Amino acid sequence: MDERQALEGIAAADAHLGRRVPLPAVELPLARWVEVVALGPGAVEIAWNLDDSRTGAPGRLALYAGLHVAPDRGLPAPEVLGRYAHRTTPLTEAEAGLRPVHELAWQHDGLHLRLTGQGPWSLQALITLADATG
C-alpha cells in the first residue's frame, strides 16, 4: 500500500505532523518545483526538485520529518559522522544530475529527520543544511 499523499503546502505538512516541520534555515539552490507529501501517520517529506540545468548543479534535495524512523531505501550501511548517520551510493541507474545520492539521518527534538541530496552535492554542504535544520 502506497502511503504517499500530496499535501497543499508546508502548513498542511505542519498540521499532518502535529508541529512545525523543521526546514533548513539557510538559502537553498533554485528550485523548479517543490513536492510536499504525507508518508503515513506522523511523517512528511518535502522534496525540492532543483534547477540542475547548469553543469555541476545538484538535482534534488528531500527532507523527511517523522515521529518514526524514515523508511529504509536499501542504501549501504551508514557511517557515523558526529550526530549523523551518513549513507551514500553512486546510484548508477539514475540520470546523471541525480547521481550520486547522499543521505544524512539524525534525531532532533523528538523527530527523526533524514536529508537526502541527489546530484553533485558535497557532503559538507549537506551537513551545513542539516545543521541548519535541527
Side-chain angles (χ1 to χ4, degrees):
M1 177 180 163
D2 186 9
E3 295 187 50
R4 293 179 66 88
Q5 176 187 0
L7 297 173
E8 289 296 318
I10 299 298
D14 291 345
H16 183 79
L17 191 58
R19 60 194 290 180
R20 292 180 70 90
V21 175
L23 299 171
V26 295
E27 186 176 322
L28 297 175
L30 179 65
R32 289 186 179 192
W33 75 92
V34 177
E35 299 171 280
V36 181
V37 297
L39 296 177
V44 297
E45 185 174 71
I46 295 88
W48 293 268
N49 295 281
L50 305 172
D51 183 346
D52 61 352
S53 60
R54 290 183 174 157
T55 301
R60 190 164 195 266
L61 182 71
L63 175 67
Y64 167 93
L67 302 176
H68 307 284
V69 174
D72 187 78
R73 294 185 172 146
L75 298 180
E79 166 191 6
V80 177
L81 295 174
R83 69 179 181 144
Y84 302 110
H86 172 245
R87 298 173 187 231
T88 189
T89 190
L91 205 61
T92 56
E93 67 277 8
E95 59 187 73
L98 298 176
R99 297 187 307 233
V101 63
H102 288 276
E103 177 183 287
L104 294 174
W106 72 104
Q107 292 182 42
H108 178 74
D109 196 25
L111 289 175
H112 294 271
L113 301 168
R114 178 179 68 197
L115 188 65
T116 306
Q118 287 184 258
W121 287 97
S122 74
L123 180 55
Q124 187 54 55
L126 288 172
I127 290 172
T128 298
L129 286 169
D131 286 345
T133 301

